[in-house]
Amino acid sequence: MAERRIFELRTYRAHPGKLDALVKHFRDDDLDLFERHHMDMVAFWVAKDAEGQPTDSFVYLLAFESQDAAKAAWKAFLADPDFTERNRASQSDGPLVAGAESVFLEPTDYSPLV
């Protein structure tokens, strides 16, 4: 049986009118850095309201060997000069993110997702 992983669910609230730029930033600037720093990408979403319209929330799920591995990966990611440069460039027209939340999730013993 495969070892169980820990998951990190991250929700970013974009500034008004900045959701598309935030999604583009992740697509164009962060995915290769996630790979470089051993952050296993599971899925990315744009939240929608009850009428099916996009909200200002961008949500994604990462997987790690452990919570300590996640902390080490994030430390390396945030210190990466490529991240620093790309993040600064993405905010040339103002900040993209108004707020963020991170929650670690541990699968139950019956979860098919390990």
Side-chain angles (χ1 to χ4, degrees):
M1 182 169 124
E3 291 214 15
R4 303 203 68 79
R5 301 177 289 172
I6 193 88
F7 294 86
E8 183 180 13
L9 182 68
R10 296 182 68 95
T11 302
Y12 290 11
R13 188 172 39 83
H15 278 289
K18 300 285 188 170
L19 180 63
D20 289 344
L22 180 61
V23 170
K24 180 183 183 319
H25 168 71
F26 272 83
R27 182 185 61 240
D28 297 348
D29 297 331
D30 285 348
L31 301 185
D32 66 320
L33 296 176
F34 284 165
E35 287 183 24
R36 181 185 304 171
H37 296 291
H38 310 289
M39 303 162 108
D40 185 13
M41 298 169 276
V42 178
F44 298 85
W45 300 273
V46 170
K48 294 196 172 190
D49 65 19
E51 287 76 41
Q53 297 302 308
T55 68
D56 62 357
S57 293
F58 175 70
V59 181
Y60 63 101
L61 186 66
L62 300 173
F64 300 93
E65 292 178 11
S66 66
Q67 200 162 340
D68 286 340
K71 289 176 186 176
W74 277 113
K75 183 177 180 180
F77 178 90
L78 294 171
D80 189 312
D82 287 337
F83 167 74
T84 304
E85 181 180 328
R86 294 172 188 183
N87 192 50
R88 185 176 35 79
S90 75
Q91 297 185 53
S92 62
D93 292 328
L96 302 179
V97 177
E101 179 182 357
S102 170
V103 177
F104 283 97
L105 306 167
E106 184 175 346
T108 59
D109 62 353
Y110 53 86
S111 177
L113 188 60
V114 290

